[in-house]
Amino acid sequence: MNIASINIPESATAAQYPPIPEPNMLTEFFWEGIANHQLLILRCGSCGTYIHYPRPICPTCLSMDDLAPAQVSGRGTIYSHTTTVQPFHPYYVDKVPYNLIVVALEEDENIRITSNLIDFPNDDIRIGMPVEVTFQEVAPGLTLPLFKLA
Amino acid sequence: MAKRDRVAAIGVGYSTTGRRTGLNRRQLVAQAAKAAMADCGISPDQIDGVVLHAGVAGAEPPGLDWIDALDVAQMLGITPITFYNSDQGGPAYFHAAISAIAAIQSGQAHTVLTVRVINQRLSSAEERDSVQGPMRISGDSQFTMPFGSVTPIQTIAALPAQRHMERYGTTEEQFGAHVIAQRANAVLNDEAIMRDPLTMDDYLNSRYVSKPVRLLDCDYPVDSASAVIYTTEERSRDFAKKPVFVESAAASATDILPAGFEKLHDLNMNSPYHAAKTLWSRTDLKPSDVDCAQLYDGFTIIVFQWLEALGFCGEGEAGSFVESGATRLDGSLPVNTDGGACNVGRRHGANFCIESIRQLRGNESGARQVKDAEVAVWANATGPFSGAVLMTAD
């Protein structure tokens, strides 16, 4: 099984990188999409259900052969949010306070994406705000889907 | 569901409990189990089932030793047994309780010892400083941790609490009212660890961990083991203490397991609602019959979720219900009369069961005794998995 891994410099430290995704055969498409600046969500071709996190079977119709990544708009609304004050990982020691948002996607509000809202004051974030995806290389070799106000 | 023979809780016990006790799992389990057996005067040959829920919630310190239910049985001379379960999944102590209750109801065992052992996790600073080099994340967490979603305080507590506030108008002072009320109960409990009374200023000056969740909204990590012994109604009156009966019990799992709180259908109305609905469908009792409620307080928002789920107040109304004083010891529904896990330490659900049993025995809770308590409900966990048990006095 040849799975594209996210490559970072050998000299990298925990303080320079947030936890780094380790793609597997089910999730590789997602991170390849992010590297290409596309937000791809697994979708069932038989019944149209979006499936996130990626699974080998559609929970609506139990199709297994007809699942494929589909590009989504990257637009959605903030479902909830928090501003984290205490750093639980070395990367965040000099980044607190930072926000964490959960985005309900426009295509299906039950598809929720955890991310960060950029270029906006943490204290002014509110549920329901419209946002859209943007892709940022947060550290060399690591691109993440972040969000900005739409 | 047809009514089955009732299951009784007959013995309860705690280990030494505190911060970094130096005791490993085996020692803590032995202490708690022995205490529960002594509490009801049962001998090992009267027990034919053992359930152990072990494991640390969070990063595990070294040297704890690993044991399962069979080790527990062997160590305590409980042999032979016909039922055992060492499953670590699901909603903490409730998971052990429902396993024992189901085993007795089905006849796989007549008397079951349940134990929840949980050691103090590494502190967040210890955990953070132990990270060596860049961290690679597989599984579902690869979609959350790279964005800094790295602790349950964010996903289980902060995100639902924030949504509760913005959706229902819940205030930080209302969260504080609960924290202050249950601390007042802890002041009356010799076994509680946090026993200084709190004011609203104390609460509002407590530091944020992840907004709106403050340090005082989080349960207190300790080393602890808790044990409860269950048996059939038929045998239940042969022991030293007055039995307390399981009137109904309900487990629930909804949506995605085991991670992914942020992806739940609704951040505040999840498995507790389903569990509560099932719980009430299995009894003729109603929320208004309940004399005290012992509700899991891993984080304050979870108490609010259970108050609403169990029907003690309407959806979104937990904040004003708590603020009214209803959940204080002198209110219409005393909640967490032992002080809750924020104050007695993280027993991971077991203290709510044990406090219910003690309240219903009627003479063990001292100054925090709820007068004439005949019905108690306890609840454990939240989000995708949880459960609740309704108990009655003999």
Side-chain angles (χ1 to χ4, degrees), chain B residues 63-87:
Chain B
L64 295 186
D65 206 354
W66 181 250
I67 57 171
D68 64 13
L70 304 182
D71 283 309
V72 178
Q74 186 274 335
M75 189 163 69
L76 291 153
I78 301 172
T79 181
I81 56 177
T82 61
F83 182 79
Y84 46 91
N85 183 350
S86 310
D87 188 358

mmCIF file of all heavy atoms in Angstrom, chain B residues 63-87:
data_model
loop_
_atom_site.group_PDB
_atom_site.id
_atom_site.type_symbol
_atom_site.label_atom_id
_atom_site.label_comp_id
_atom_site.label_asym_id
_atom_site.label_seq_id
_atom_site.Cartn_x
_atom_site.Cartn_y
_atom_site.Cartn_z
ATOM 1 N N GLY B 63 3.949 3.147 35.411
ATOM 2 C CA GLY B 63 4.009 2.325 36.616
ATOM 3 C C GLY B 63 2.687 1.898 37.216
ATOM 4 O O GLY B 63 2.652 1.413 38.340
ATOM 5 N N LEU B 64 1.589 2.058 36.483
ATOM 6 C CA LEU B 64 0.288 1.771 37.100
ATOM 7 C C LEU B 64 -0.048 0.287 37.132
ATOM 8 O O LEU B 64 -0.924 -0.124 37.858
ATOM 9 C CB LEU B 64 -0.826 2.514 36.354
ATOM 10 C CG LEU B 64 -0.755 4.032 36.436
ATOM 11 C CD1 LEU B 64 -1.993 4.639 35.790
ATOM 12 C CD2 LEU B 64 -0.633 4.493 37.869
ATOM 13 N N ASP B 65 0.595 -0.505 36.304
ATOM 14 C CA ASP B 65 0.266 -1.926 36.212
ATOM 15 C C ASP B 65 -1.056 -2.057 35.450
ATOM 16 O O ASP B 65 -1.870 -1.160 35.449
ATOM 17 C CB ASP B 65 0.126 -2.545 37.614
ATOM 18 C CG ASP B 65 0.423 -4.040 37.620
ATOM 19 O OD1 ASP B 65 0.624 -4.612 36.528
ATOM 20 O OD2 ASP B 65 0.460 -4.632 38.711
ATOM 21 N N TRP B 66 -1.257 -3.198 34.801
ATOM 22 C CA TRP B 66 -2.532 -3.393 34.107
ATOM 23 C C TRP B 66 -3.238 -4.582 34.736
ATOM 24 O O TRP B 66 -2.632 -5.602 34.999
ATOM 25 C CB TRP B 66 -2.334 -3.632 32.612
ATOM 26 C CG TRP B 66 -3.666 -3.789 31.966
ATOM 27 C CD1 TRP B 66 -4.215 -4.911 31.448
ATOM 28 C CD2 TRP B 66 -4.652 -2.779 31.823
ATOM 29 N NE1 TRP B 66 -5.486 -4.665 31.004
ATOM 30 C CE2 TRP B 66 -5.787 -3.361 31.229
ATOM 31 C CE3 TRP B 66 -4.706 -1.411 32.169
ATOM 32 C CZ2 TRP B 66 -6.962 -2.645 30.958
ATOM 33 C CZ3 TRP B 66 -5.858 -0.702 31.898
ATOM 34 C CH2 TRP B 66 -6.963 -1.323 31.291
ATOM 35 N N ILE B 67 -4.537 -4.438 34.978
ATOM 36 C CA ILE B 67 -5.282 -5.593 35.463
ATOM 37 C C ILE B 67 -6.618 -5.665 34.757
ATOM 38 O O ILE B 67 -7.092 -4.674 34.200
ATOM 39 C CB ILE B 67 -5.508 -5.554 36.996
ATOM 40 C CG1 ILE B 67 -6.238 -4.286 37.407
ATOM 41 C CG2 ILE B 67 -4.203 -5.671 37.736
ATOM 42 C CD1 ILE B 67 -6.675 -4.312 38.873
ATOM 43 N N ASP B 68 -7.208 -6.856 34.756
ATOM 44 C CA ASP B 68 -8.546 -7.006 34.207
ATOM 45 C C ASP B 68 -9.455 -7.634 35.269
ATOM 46 O O ASP B 68 -9.035 -7.855 36.409
ATOM 47 C CB ASP B 68 -8.531 -7.809 32.902
ATOM 48 C CG ASP B 68 -8.074 -9.239 33.092
ATOM 49 O OD1 ASP B 68 -8.001 -9.702 34.244
ATOM 50 O OD2 ASP B 68 -7.802 -9.895 32.078
ATOM 51 N N ALA B 69 -10.685 -7.919 34.883
ATOM 52 C CA ALA B 69 -11.667 -8.417 35.853
ATOM 53 C C ALA B 69 -11.230 -9.745 36.459
ATOM 54 O O ALA B 69 -11.513 -10.023 37.630
ATOM 55 C CB ALA B 69 -13.026 -8.563 35.181
ATOM 56 N N LEU B 70 -10.539 -10.546 35.672
ATOM 57 C CA LEU B 70 -10.099 -11.849 36.181
ATOM 58 C C LEU B 70 -9.044 -11.686 37.266
ATOM 59 O O LEU B 70 -9.026 -12.410 38.265
ATOM 60 C CB LEU B 70 -9.568 -12.709 35.029
ATOM 61 C CG LEU B 70 -10.559 -12.909 33.876
ATOM 62 C CD1 LEU B 70 -9.965 -13.816 32.821
ATOM 63 C CD2 LEU B 70 -11.881 -13.440 34.383
ATOM 64 N N ASP B 71 -8.145 -10.708 37.081
ATOM 65 C CA ASP B 71 -7.161 -10.397 38.119
ATOM 66 C C ASP B 71 -7.859 -10.003 39.416
ATOM 67 O O ASP B 71 -7.427 -10.377 40.501
ATOM 68 C CB ASP B 71 -6.297 -9.207 37.688
ATOM 69 C CG ASP B 71 -5.256 -9.587 36.666
ATOM 70 O OD1 ASP B 71 -4.531 -10.546 36.912
ATOM 71 O OD2 ASP B 71 -5.187 -8.912 35.620
ATOM 72 N N VAL B 72 -8.906 -9.185 39.266
ATOM 73 C CA VAL B 72 -9.619 -8.701 40.445
ATOM 74 C C VAL B 72 -10.231 -9.879 41.193
ATOM 75 O O VAL B 72 -10.103 -9.998 42.418
ATOM 76 C CB VAL B 72 -10.722 -7.692 40.041
ATOM 77 C CG1 VAL B 72 -11.499 -7.238 41.278
ATOM 78 C CG2 VAL B 72 -10.105 -6.501 39.323
ATOM 79 N N ALA B 73 -10.880 -10.770 40.440
ATOM 80 C CA ALA B 73 -11.521 -11.931 41.054
ATOM 81 C C ALA B 73 -10.478 -12.794 41.776
ATOM 82 O O ALA B 73 -10.658 -13.184 42.934
ATOM 83 C CB ALA B 73 -12.242 -12.746 39.989
ATOM 84 N N GLN B 74 -9.364 -13.052 41.105
ATOM 85 C CA GLN B 74 -8.316 -13.906 41.671
ATOM 86 C C GLN B 74 -7.745 -13.290 42.944
ATOM 87 O O GLN B 74 -7.579 -13.947 43.976
ATOM 88 C CB GLN B 74 -7.223 -14.122 40.616
ATOM 89 C CG GLN B 74 -6.141 -15.108 41.010
ATOM 90 C CD GLN B 74 -5.027 -14.442 41.798
ATOM 91 O OE1 GLN B 74 -4.792 -13.246 41.683
ATOM 92 N NE2 GLN B 74 -4.344 -15.233 42.618
ATOM 93 N N MET B 75 -7.480 -11.982 42.850
ATOM 94 C CA MET B 75 -6.850 -11.269 43.955
ATOM 95 C C MET B 75 -7.711 -11.311 45.218
ATOM 96 O O MET B 75 -7.197 -11.369 46.324
ATOM 97 C CB MET B 75 -6.634 -9.824 43.472
ATOM 98 C CG MET B 75 -5.828 -8.935 44.315
ATOM 99 S SD MET B 75 -5.271 -7.486 43.350
ATOM 100 C CE MET B 75 -6.783 -6.565 43.067
ATOM 101 N N LEU B 76 -9.027 -11.279 45.031
ATOM 102 C CA LEU B 76 -9.952 -11.214 46.168
ATOM 103 C C LEU B 76 -10.526 -12.584 46.534
ATOM 104 O O LEU B 76 -11.434 -12.678 47.358
ATOM 105 C CB LEU B 76 -11.094 -10.241 45.844
ATOM 106 C CG LEU B 76 -10.644 -8.780 45.777
ATOM 107 C CD1 LEU B 76 -11.540 -7.978 44.867
ATOM 108 C CD2 LEU B 76 -10.605 -8.171 47.166
ATOM 109 N N GLY B 77 -9.998 -13.611 45.904
ATOM 110 C CA GLY B 77 -10.470 -14.956 46.233
ATOM 111 C C GLY B 77 -11.889 -15.227 45.779
ATOM 112 O O GLY B 77 -12.584 -16.077 46.337
ATOM 113 N N ILE B 78 -12.339 -14.506 44.770
ATOM 114 C CA ILE B 78 -13.691 -14.698 44.250
ATOM 115 C C ILE B 78 -13.604 -15.733 43.119
ATOM 116 O O ILE B 78 -13.301 -15.394 41.971
ATOM 117 C CB ILE B 78 -14.275 -13.366 43.727
ATOM 118 C CG1 ILE B 78 -14.310 -12.328 44.854
ATOM 119 C CG2 ILE B 78 -15.673 -13.569 43.158
ATOM 120 C CD1 ILE B 78 -14.685 -10.931 44.397
ATOM 121 N N THR B 79 -13.804 -16.991 43.443
ATOM 122 C CA THR B 79 -13.637 -18.045 42.455
ATOM 123 C C THR B 79 -14.449 -19.274 42.851
ATOM 124 O O THR B 79 -14.551 -19.565 44.052
ATOM 125 C CB THR B 79 -12.143 -18.425 42.308
ATOM 126 O OG1 THR B 79 -12.012 -19.446 41.319
ATOM 127 C CG2 THR B 79 -11.555 -18.942 43.611
ATOM 128 N N PRO B 80 -15.092 -19.958 41.914
ATOM 129 C CA PRO B 80 -15.160 -19.618 40.490
ATOM 130 C C PRO B 80 -16.213 -18.531 40.234
ATOM 131 O O PRO B 80 -17.065 -18.284 41.077
ATOM 132 C CB PRO B 80 -15.591 -20.939 39.851
ATOM 133 C CG PRO B 80 -16.426 -21.585 40.916
ATOM 134 C CD PRO B 80 -15.839 -21.181 42.230
ATOM 135 N N ILE B 81 -16.154 -17.903 39.069
ATOM 136 C CA ILE B 81 -17.170 -16.926 38.695
ATOM 137 C C ILE B 81 -17.822 -17.331 37.379
ATOM 138 O O ILE B 81 -17.251 -18.099 36.597
ATOM 139 C CB ILE B 81 -16.595 -15.491 38.583
ATOM 140 C CG1 ILE B 81 -15.417 -15.426 37.604
ATOM 141 C CG2 ILE B 81 -16.182 -14.981 39.950
ATOM 142 C CD1 ILE B 81 -14.878 -14.015 37.405
ATOM 143 N N THR B 82 -19.027 -16.822 37.150
ATOM 144 C CA THR B 82 -19.758 -17.172 35.924
ATOM 145 C C THR B 82 -19.894 -15.979 34.982
ATOM 146 O O THR B 82 -20.407 -16.112 33.871
ATOM 147 C CB THR B 82 -21.170 -17.671 36.260
ATOM 148 O OG1 THR B 82 -21.880 -16.619 36.928
ATOM 149 C CG2 THR B 82 -21.128 -18.907 37.143
ATOM 150 N N PHE B 83 -19.483 -14.802 35.429
ATOM 151 C CA PHE B 83 -19.605 -13.616 34.576
ATOM 152 C C PHE B 83 -18.455 -12.668 34.854
ATOM 153 O O PHE B 83 -18.096 -12.434 36.011
ATOM 154 C CB PHE B 83 -20.937 -12.893 34.834
ATOM 155 C CG PHE B 83 -21.130 -11.701 33.937
ATOM 156 C CD1 PHE B 83 -21.554 -11.854 32.624
ATOM 157 C CD2 PHE B 83 -20.871 -10.419 34.408
ATOM 158 C CE1 PHE B 83 -21.712 -10.751 31.788
ATOM 159 C CE2 PHE B 83 -21.026 -9.312 33.576
ATOM 160 C CZ PHE B 83 -21.451 -9.483 32.274
ATOM 161 N N TYR B 84 -17.853 -12.132 33.793
ATOM 162 C CA TYR B 84 -16.785 -11.151 33.953
ATOM 163 C C TYR B 84 -16.743 -10.265 32.729
ATOM 164 O O TYR B 84 -17.139 -10.674 31.625
ATOM 165 C CB TYR B 84 -15.426 -11.820 34.161
ATOM 166 C CG TYR B 84 -15.151 -12.953 33.201
ATOM 167 C CD1 TYR B 84 -14.503 -12.713 31.997
ATOM 168 C CD2 TYR B 84 -15.565 -14.246 33.495
ATOM 169 C CE1 TYR B 84 -14.271 -13.743 31.108
ATOM 170 C CE2 TYR B 84 -15.331 -15.285 32.602
ATOM 171 C CZ TYR B 84 -14.688 -15.020 31.416
ATOM 172 O OH TYR B 84 -14.468 -16.040 30.533
ATOM 173 N N ASN B 85 -16.289 -9.045 32.927
ATOM 174 C CA ASN B 85 -16.235 -8.078 31.839
ATOM 175 C C ASN B 85 -15.163 -7.057 32.189
ATOM 176 O O ASN B 85 -15.175 -6.493 33.279
ATOM 177 C CB ASN B 85 -17.613 -7.402 31.703
ATOM 178 C CG ASN B 85 -17.675 -6.433 30.546
ATOM 179 O OD1 ASN B 85 -16.655 -6.096 29.938
ATOM 180 N ND2 ASN B 85 -18.859 -5.959 30.232
ATOM 181 N N SER B 86 -14.236 -6.841 31.241
ATOM 182 C CA SER B 86 -13.165 -5.861 31.459
ATOM 183 C C SER B 86 -13.195 -4.785 30.373
ATOM 184 O O SER B 86 -12.194 -4.133 30.126
ATOM 185 C CB SER B 86 -11.792 -6.539 31.427
ATOM 186 O OG SER B 86 -11.758 -7.662 32.266
ATOM 187 N N ASP B 87 -14.344 -4.600 29.760
ATOM 188 C CA ASP B 87 -14.444 -3.662 28.644
ATOM 189 C C ASP B 87 -14.130 -2.238 29.100
ATOM 190 O O ASP B 87 -14.666 -1.773 30.104
ATOM 191 C CB ASP B 87 -15.865 -3.731 28.068
ATOM 192 C CG ASP B 87 -16.001 -2.928 26.790
ATOM 193 O OD1 ASP B 87 -15.011 -2.297 26.363
ATOM 194 O OD2 ASP B 87 -17.101 -2.929 26.228
#
